[in-house]
Amino acid sequence: MNTQTIQYEYAPGHFQASEPSVYSPEMLDEGEMILNMGPQHPSTHGVLRMEVVTNGEIIVDVVPHLGYLHRCFEKHAQSLPFNQTIPFVDRLDYLAAMNSEHAFVMGVERMLGIQNDIPKRTEYIRVLVAELNRIAAHFVGIGTYALDIGAYTPFLWLMRDREHIQRLLEWLTGARMLYNYIWVGGLFYDLPVGFEERCREFVAYLKPNMVELQQIVIENEIFIKRTANVGVLPLTVAINYGCTGPMLRGSGLRYDLRRVDGYSVYPELEFDIPIGEGKMGTVGDCWDRNNVRVQECHESIRIIEQCLDQLLGDHKRTRDYDPQAVVPKKIRPKAMDFYARAESAKGELGFFFRTDGKSDVPVRCKARSCCFHNLSVISEISRGAMLADLVAIIGSIDVVMGEVDR
């Protein structure tokens, strides 16, 4: 066997080109410097590093470097049957796993053409658990946001109230955060006996606490000064960057997929779509985005109450109800390209499927991450801001890196 020695020529420029940064010292003007913020778990979520160019205390530019959580969701989805992918869907936005499951499962059901066969009780249970999970996810977003800018007590209060939701969902599924509960064609299991009554008790407990949250955070003078007129996201910029969820609605557009697409039983339910109105500053600022999340918690409570009315009324539990009656034994859609989406806690979570009609494993599965799009706008809303406001801007985006790195 002949071997050949290959000599490589290394030049200083090669190393500079391979550096994981956009800016170099030679690109800076006088008085500017490059700072690296993150990655650390408080404020930058563990793997997010931001390359910040500053001129004194003023931000000139911000470049987000996403890092890696090594989730490999799309590769997993392309090597497993559809029903075995659901546990990996949970790990995208792990704070709102029920919402992610709902989006993925609805897409597969539509490809199979069984979306109209799902029992109404199943649909109301899906919406019930998704809205409970939405509140839990918003509580983490609001609580950690307050913590990021110096308010410790609201974080403890919100974690306390979120724990009640975690215990309800653990009673229902056996898991605290990663549920594998919403299945293609149905549910893992019906609600435990007494679950509806316990939910009503929780709602009665939560309502006065939401008023307390409004007073201690949203109307707090220090909180307003830290967030009003900071990180303003104009509506046109939000649309051009593909922002969705509270990010988009905080900029004044009343756009919610639960209304726009009218999926599941949402068209039968009454709820409002909160938007940013610039009450404390400018439309689309950090305060507006956070306030939209708080108001969405109120609307989720309304939805939960209506679901409970249905689950204890017209669609109450019966002996002949089987949550797995429509679950297919083999999931083999026709050959097609298909996109499905739903309103997750952070915005539009979508899944693109390509199937060949022969296998129960998709040829391609692409996740459209709302967190990825929302985070991409950080450069636009940070330029010209004070360096001390950057953490407030990041927190107002409310990203989960598990969904950014797919």
Side-chain angles (χ1 to χ4, degrees):
M1 181 177 178
N2 295 327
T3 59
Q4 184 178 5
T5 302
I6 301 176
Q7 293 183 348
Y8 294 94
E9 292 184 6
Y10 294 102
H14 294 169
F15 290 110
Q16 292 176 4
S18 67
E19 284 293 317
S21 297
V22 172
Y23 287 93
S24 62
E26 295 78 17
M27 300 168 63
L28 302 182
D29 294 333
E30 185 177 355
E32 293 181 349
M33 64 178 176
I34 303 172
L35 296 176
N36 281 297
M37 180 176 286
Q40 78 275 343
H41 199 275
S43 79
T44 61
H45 301 261
V47 296
L48 173 63
R49 176 175 71 91
M50 283 173 298
E51 183 183 349
V52 187
V53 179
T54 67
N55 188 336
E57 289 291 318
I58 304 300
I59 296 171
V60 177
D61 198 11
V62 175
V63 182
H65 295 273
L66 303 182
Y68 296 95
L69 286 180
H70 303 293
R71 288 294 161 91
C72 304
F73 167 78
E74 293 174 2
K75 286 297 182 185
H76 281 306
Q78 289 159 204
S79 60
L80 291 170
F82 289 97
N83 57 330
Q84 294 183 25
T85 303
I86 296 173
F88 296 98
V89 175
D90 286 333
R91 288 158 172 80
L92 291 173
D93 181 358
Y94 41 80
L95 297 176
M98 289 292 191
N99 301 88
S100 304
E101 289 179 14
H102 202 186
F104 183 86
V105 164
M106 283 194 304
V108 179
E109 289 170 350
R110 289 172 188 169
M111 286 195 294
L112 294 172
I114 63 173
Q115 69 273 18
N116 296 324
D117 300 332
I118 310 299
K120 273 296 179 70
R121 179 172 174 84
T122 298
E123 292 284 17
Y124 276 109
I125 292 174
R126 287 180 175 184
V127 171
L128 172 67
V129 296
E131 294 305 318
L132 282 169
N133 216 174
R134 189 185 308 276
I135 295 174
H138 281 339
F139 277 6
V140 174
I142 299 162
T144 55
Y145 187 41
L147 188 63
D148 284 343
I149 57 179
Y152 195 75
T153 303
F155 171 74
L156 296 178
W157 287 1
L158 287 167
M159 291 302 101
R160 174 200 64 195
D161 292 344
R162 174 177 174 266
E163 183 65 22
H164 293 293
I165 299 176
Q166 298 294 92
R167 288 176 179 176
L168 282 169
L169 296 178
E170 185 178 11
W171 182 26
L172 174 64
T173 67
R176 281 179 58 81
M177 290 180 65
L178 310 172
Y179 304 110
N180 190 17
Y181 179 70
I182 301 177
W183 285 7
V184 177
L187 304 166
F188 166 63
Y189 203 72
D190 194 3
L191 298 177
V193 176
F195 188 87
E196 299 94 326
E197 290 78 9
R198 190 76 64 85
C199 277
R200 283 206 188 279
E201 293 174 7
F202 169 70
V203 167
Y205 158 83
L206 187 60
K207 283 183 176 180
N209 288 8
M210 292 299 298
V211 176
E212 210 171 44
L213 173 66
Q214 185 81 19
Q215 296 170 342
I216 197 70
V217 177
I218 302 304
E219 298 171 2
N220 184 291
E221 185 178 350
I222 299 173
F223 185 84
I224 293 170
K225 287 183 177 179
R226 285 299 312 272
T227 57
N229 297 312
V230 174
V232 177
L233 175 60
L235 182 56
T236 53
V237 176
I239 293 172
N240 290 338
Y241 272 81
C243 295
T244 53
M247 284 286 288
L248 179 62
R249 293 190 286 275
S251 295
L253 183 62
R254 212 176 294 275
Y255 183 87
D256 190 310
L257 293 179
R258 293 173 293 178
R259 279 279 183 255
V260 174
D261 288 357
Y263 59 88
S264 191
V265 291
Y266 282 110
E268 303 172 21
L269 302 171
E270 293 183 5
F271 61 98
D272 297 325
I273 310 299
I275 59 171
E277 299 174 355
K279 289 181 179 178
M280 298 297 174
T282 308
V283 174
D285 59 14
C286 291
W287 188 92
D288 265 353
R289 288 193 285 275
N290 191 69
N291 185 54
V292 165
R293 293 186 182 98
V294 173
Q295 299 310 316
E296 282 188 7
C297 291
H298 289 285
E299 299 306 317
S300 291
I301 290 172
R302 287 179 62 191
I303 294 172
I304 288 168
E305 289 179 316
Q306 294 172 69
C307 288
L308 292 173
D309 290 340
Q310 293 291 334
L311 292 170
L312 290 169
D314 295 342
H315 304 289
K316 62 184 178 182
R317 69 178 74 242
T318 58
R319 288 185 177 274
D320 58 348
Y321 169 69
D322 181 4
Q324 298 183 19
V326 195
V327 174
K329 290 182 170 58
K330 194 76 169 177
I331 301 172
R332 192 174 292 159
K334 297 177 181 178
M336 67 177 82
D337 288 354
F338 191 84
Y339 179 75
R341 62 184 185 174
E343 188 71 32
S344 182
K346 312 292 188 295
E348 178 183 330
L349 176 62
F351 294 96
F352 168 80
F353 300 101
R354 174 167 290 169
T355 56
D356 58 9
K358 302 173 184 177
S359 173
D360 60 348
V361 178
V363 176
R364 181 76 173 98
C365 179
K366 170 75 171 67
R368 190 270 183 203
S369 164
C370 40
C371 287
F372 183 86
H373 286 264
N374 293 346
L375 181 60
S376 67
V377 81
I378 190 170
S379 300
E380 294 287 341
I381 62 178
S382 298
R383 294 191 190 105
M386 300 288 286
L387 184 60
D389 291 330
L390 184 54
V391 170
I393 294 172
I394 300 165
S396 74
I397 298 175
D398 188 22
V399 293
V400 168
M401 296 306 292
E403 193 179 281
V404 174
D405 173 37
R406 304 175 303 290

